[in-house]
Amino acid sequence: MNLLIYGPPGSGKGTQAELLHQSFDIPHIATGDILRGEVAAGTPLGLQAQPIMAAGGYVPDDIMIGIIRNRLQQGDSQKGFVMDGFPRTIPQAEALDGLLDELGRRFDRVVYLNVDIAELVPRLAGRMTCPIDQKTYPPGTAKCPLDGAKLIQREDDKPEAVKKRIEVYLDKTLPLLDYYRGPCSTTTGAGAWFPRSTAWAQSRRSTNAC
Ligand code: ADP
């Protein structure tokens, strides 16, 4: 089962992808998490990506395509994957099609999380993140319910970066809606903070139908 989940920042991609990962026992490939891992480890890639991410911009396509090429070659993705955060641009989507072709794979389902742009700013600007597992929680949550760590605000969840992330999303990522239009694509209602969300139920159901 190869799944793609995409949508604006703050739409709940990570939450939904995590549920699909558990439900289908396939790896959750999240480019944001991979990049944050590189930043935390202080690798050359992390050093290059850190200021771009903090400002809410996109890391260059060639770097991102290289990351995904490596990730798809790892053994665990042979049984399938749920991809979150990639592709984010048309060139990334075209490169991914080429990579999937080389591997003889294709997406079984492409799920778009549709959330009103007006709803994104308060969601992102207030959300709190666990520094250990990177999971996000609603505004006002103090501690990670899973490991008790004190939650932090991500650098790119600060107001200026949030504004930039939404602008870049509208310019570079929204065109993917047309790119992926087709019988295996589906659009859900609002993403949500919690596992019981209808978005998850819809994306789960849709995987049976294509
Ligand atoms: P969100 O979807 O909430 O913005 P992510 O965790 O997916 O958060 O990504 C965080 C940041 O990592 C992005 O704002 C961007 O700077 C960088 N990033 C992640 N994936 C990509 C990608 N495919 N192309 C370019 N930049 C990316």
Side-chain angles (χ1 to χ4, degrees):
M1 177 70 67
N2 307 318
L3 303 174
L4 169 62
I5 192 141
Y6 75 112
S11 56
K13 297 186 294 294
T15 305
Q16 308 303 331
E18 200 52 34
L19 291 162
L20 291 163
H21 147 74
Q22 286 163 17
S23 178
F24 292 109
D25 189 25
I26 47 177
H28 171 191
I29 301 180
T31 43
D33 289 347
I34 295 173
L35 289 169
R36 280 185 288 276
E38 298 283 336
V39 171
T43 64
L45 167 59
L47 291 175
Q48 188 181 351
Q50 193 276 332
I52 301 173
M53 294 169 74
Y58 279 0
V59 174
D61 286 339
D62 56 338
I63 295 180
M64 297 312 304
I65 292 163
I67 289 175
I68 283 296
R69 182 190 300 277
N70 288 339
R71 185 63 186 85
L72 288 180
Q73 276 160 0
Q74 289 172 23
D76 65 339
S77 60
Q78 298 315 310
K79 60 179 173 181
F81 48 80
V82 50
M83 205 172 274
D84 148 23
F86 186 97
R88 261 179 154 94
T89 66
I90 297 285
Q92 290 181 14
E94 289 170 348
L96 180 58
D97 277 348
L99 287 174
L100 292 177
D101 268 356
E102 280 170 31
L103 298 168
R105 317 277 291 267
R106 65 175 188 88
F107 280 120
D108 295 288
R109 270 284 163 177
V110 175
V111 179
Y112 175 67
L113 293 185
N114 184 23
V115 177
D116 252 16
I117 297 298
E119 214 182 295
L120 299 175
V121 178
R123 273 193 192 205
L124 286 168
R127 77 178 179 180
M128 302 301 286
T129 301
C130 173
I132 297 172
D133 59 21
Q134 306 298 322
K135 289 195 168 47
T136 53
Y137 297 94
T141 319
K143 282 190 176 169
C144 176
L146 301 178
D147 51 41
K150 186 171 181 304
L151 301 181
I152 54 160
Q153 185 174 45
R154 248 166 60 178
E155 198 60 31
D156 60 348
D157 283 346
K158 299 197 169 147
E160 264 317 292
V162 164
K163 196 165 154 264
K164 171 84 175 167
R165 279 161 76 195
I166 292 173
E167 277 168 20
V168 178
Y169 166 79
L170 292 174
D171 182 35
K172 300 251 181 0
T173 308
L174 201 56
L176 290 181
L177 260 182
D178 270 333
Y179 188 88
Y180 283 118
R181 214 175 280 286
C184 291
S185 290
T186 186
T187 298
T188 72
W193 293 110
F194 296 111
R196 288 172 294 281
S197 77
T198 50
W200 177 73
Q202 269 177 266
S203 43
R204 176 77 175 76
R205 256 201 315 278
S206 70
T207 54
N208 297 327
C210 176

